[in-house]
Amino acid sequence: MTKPRQQIPKATVTRLAFYLRELQQMQRSGLANIQSRSIAERLGLNDSQVRRDISCLGTVGQRGVGYRVEELIESIQRVLGTDRNWNVILVGVGNLGRALSGYRGFQQQGFQLVGAFDSDPAKIGSSVGSLTIQSLDRLPEFARSNQVDLAILAVPADAAQSVASQIERVGIPGILNFAPIAVQASSSSRTIIQEVDLAIELQRLAFSVVPKSN
Amino acid sequence: MTKPRQQIPKATVTRLAFYLRELQQMQRSGLANIQSRSIAERLGLNDSQVRRDISCLGTVGQRGVGYRVEELIESIQRVLGTDRNWNVILVGVGNLGRALSGYRGFQQQGFQLVGAFDSDPAKIGSSVGSLTIQSLDRLPEFARSNQVDLAILAVPADAAQSVASQIERVGIPGILNFAPIAVQASSSSRTIIQEVDLAIELQRLAFSVVPKSN
DNA sequence: TAGATTGTTAATCGATTAACAATC
DNA sequence: TAGATTGTTAATCGATTAACAATC
């Protein structure tokens, strides 16, 4: 009875990822069962919302008891697509790129860094973690001989669009864009681009913090 | 005619921050005027939405012409609160924390890193950028003698709640939480906590990329 | 003026939540 | 059974968008 994935609201997808993170914590601390109210409390949400979100998974709880943590984890991963491994490349090995490459959280959720690219000759050949930085020119060849699922784009703003287009052209289906400018997918490609900006997160927080006048 | 800030929808705030980023790019390339349609196209939005968002600013465009880039930048910054400088501390100087400390985008938007804290004795006294890492125990004293507006929390999951409570107790009004677990503000404090998780961004992208079955 | 684009309304669409029957 | 919690409905709330009068 799983809902077609397509119908799952974006907002629900985001919350499911947060539920997953909490559930994994709970599992590590030995918890086997959980109630919607408890998930809601941990995340500052409404328990109706949690139940409704979970109902998109197909997985069902037990009335009077709750949900099995393990089952919930598995079905969220199935819906998000993280029940399998994802091969990710890093494009742009500046300060941010280097930091992202070492971020443990990616691997923990099944995202494996399999390549690192830069266009700066001074960087090519040096290493980032266990990877050797390759010339961006080698991306097409690399993508042909390796399955690349996602690209993390962390180049300067003025290079972002051009590099994104190159990534698109080699057929990589998703780009997580950390460059501080929006990039567009060409209308002909199926590449999905998602924007992330850490400064924007701070700005949203700043807005919430400023005492509201009126 | 500015709307009371409180009434500006969360979704609008986020988009305003994205507009700001694009507008700053445009300004750098010498553009003085812009139309809602052009902003919308760059960001993949509807132009009605852009105009409606902008109408929350109070600032008005010129019918038949568009908006003045500089004016728009200023009024978005005023609404977001980034028309002034924000003093930010980093709590937790691991890999991610260290990377965040060097992130140029923060400073560009008026966020200044003024302190770095960790509880690991091996790190205390060493430097991150131009700052010396201090013991977390010194936070109360530091907060008393310096105005601290926001804290970036980048500690391991198991320490996050306890450290967040300490930050709260010294009266810092906002926490950007990069720890991979939700933390709660005590009901008595006014501290606002915003969650960010880079792995969750990848998961959202993964969901969008997986071919939708029905 | 003629052409263009804003500002805003009204309609639509989607997301949240209270409430409660179903049921473990 | 009695107590608890789910699953789901219906109502509410909020956000998006098409359309167009206002006006530069």
Side-chain angles (χ1 to χ4, degrees), chain B residues 3-177:
Chain B
K3 242 189 202 184
R5 283 180 78 259
Q6 209 151 16
Q7 282 180 23
I8 299 180
K10 287 258 162 78
T12 294
V13 170
T14 303
R15 283 191 300 268
L16 285 172
F18 277 101
Y19 303 165
L20 176 60
R21 201 180 67 168
E22 299 298 316
L23 290 163
Q24 286 167 332
Q25 273 294 325
M26 292 172 184
Q27 193 178 46
R28 259 177 248 123
S29 60
L31 211 63
N33 279 283
I34 190 73
Q35 291 73 42
S36 60
R37 195 153 66 108
S38 163
I39 297 175
E41 269 168 16
R42 275 174 174 251
L43 290 164
L45 303 171
N46 180 292
D47 60 319
S48 281
Q49 183 164 65
V50 172
R51 289 196 297 280
R52 176 169 268 263
D53 287 342
I54 289 173
S55 77
C56 295
L57 301 173
T59 303
V60 293
Q62 243 194 327
R63 291 173 201 232
V65 179
Y67 304 91
R68 290 194 43 235
V69 172
E70 193 187 346
E71 200 180 334
L72 223 40
I73 288 175
E74 282 167 8
S75 54
I76 294 176
Q77 287 178 328
R78 197 163 38 241
V79 164
L80 294 181
T82 55
D83 55 343
R84 64 174 184 92
N85 222 70
W86 289 72
N87 291 335
V88 181
I89 59 167
L90 172 66
V91 183
V93 193
N95 285 332
L96 182 62
R98 200 169 279 279
L100 294 171
S101 76
Y103 183 55
R104 298 261 178 109
F106 291 149
Q107 190 140 15
Q108 273 166 21
Q109 297 298 346
F111 298 102
Q112 177 88 33
L113 206 63
V114 297
F117 297 85
D118 204 294
S119 58
D120 178 357
K123 287 177 186 160
I124 294 162
S126 69
S127 66
V128 52
S130 60
L131 297 170
T132 300
I133 302 174
Q134 302 178 58
S135 165
L136 192 52
D137 300 335
R138 300 203 46 209
L139 177 58
E141 187 192 323
F142 183 89
R144 263 193 303 275
S145 43
N146 296 271
Q147 188 198 326
V148 180
D149 300 305
L150 302 174
I152 293 176
L153 182 57
V155 301
D158 55 9
Q161 181 62 62
S162 136
V163 176
S165 299
Q166 290 177 65
I167 294 171
E168 228 186 295
R169 238 174 283 125
V170 303
I172 296 171
I175 298 176
L176 193 63
N177 179 30

Side-chain angles (χ1 to χ4, degrees), chain A residues 9-41:
Chain A
K10 287 258 162 78
T12 295
V13 169
T14 303
R15 282 191 300 268
L16 286 172
F18 278 101
Y19 301 166
L20 176 60
R21 200 181 67 168
E22 298 299 316
L23 289 163
Q24 286 168 333
Q25 273 294 325
M26 292 172 186
Q27 193 177 46
R28 258 177 249 124
S29 59
L31 210 65
N33 281 284
I34 191 71
Q35 291 74 42
S36 60
R37 194 153 67 107
S38 163
I39 297 175
E41 267 168 18

Side-chain angles (χ1 to χ4, degrees), chain B residues 176-194:
Chain B
L176 193 63
N177 179 30
F178 283 90
I181 190 169
V183 300
Q184 343 248 2
S186 87
S187 50
S188 62
S189 90
R190 293 284 149 270
T191 299
I192 290 170
I193 297 173
Q194 173 146 336

